[in-house]
Amino acid sequence: RSAVRFYQALGFPLLHGGENEPFTSFATGASFLNLTVETQGPVNWWGRVIIYVSDVDAMYRKVLATGFPPAFPPRDAPWNERYFHVRDPDGHELSFARALNPARDGVTTSTV
């Protein structure tokens, strides 16, 4: 539930739920980021949400301001992206990225 504050601090618009709700949904561009409280047994899975933004370095500074340290500073990857990773307060891994040549790849970005 502390992840709700984290996503709000990053500027994700809250669509439904909140800190004390079992289900919360945020807007991220034309998509959604949903959080749910699971109470049935251990959850043993891994995943990463990749969110395309218009300015990776500005998002990096915004993440730093939340107090949750990213895994590394923004870097350019050989697969044509500038990106960094961070874990939210519940341990979910996020990657904020931007195509280095968006016109060539047809990539759109989030308005977060």
Side-chain angles (χ1 to χ4, degrees):
R1 294 184 186 185
S2 58
V4 171
R5 287 189 301 273
F6 175 79
Y7 290 105
Q8 287 177 313
L10 294 181
F12 285 73
L14 179 68
L15 298 176
H16 176 81
E19 287 184 52
N20 298 314
E21 300 297 324
F23 177 80
T24 298
S25 184
F26 292 96
T28 174
S31 300
F32 305 93
L33 179 86
N34 297 329
L35 305 175
T36 183
V37 176
E38 298 296 326
T39 59
Q40 300 295 320
V43 177
N44 294 317
W45 57 274
W46 174 86
R48 176 185 301 139
V49 175
I50 301 170
I51 301 168
Y52 283 89
V53 295
S54 59
D55 188 335
V56 172
D57 295 277
M59 181 57 76
Y60 178 77
R61 290 187 295 275
K62 193 181 269 192
V63 169
L64 284 175
T66 70
F68 288 89
F72 50 83
R75 59 175 74 154
D76 293 348
W79 55 86
N80 192 39
E81 285 183 341
R82 182 158 182 78
Y83 75 105
F84 70 93
H85 299 318
V86 64
R87 290 190 181 272
D88 76 9
D90 293 331
H92 302 106
E93 191 173 31
L94 304 171
S95 179
F96 289 99
R98 176 184 65 81
L100 293 173
N101 188 347
R104 183 190 81 189
D105 295 340
V107 174
T108 58
T109 59
S110 172
T111 57
V112 174

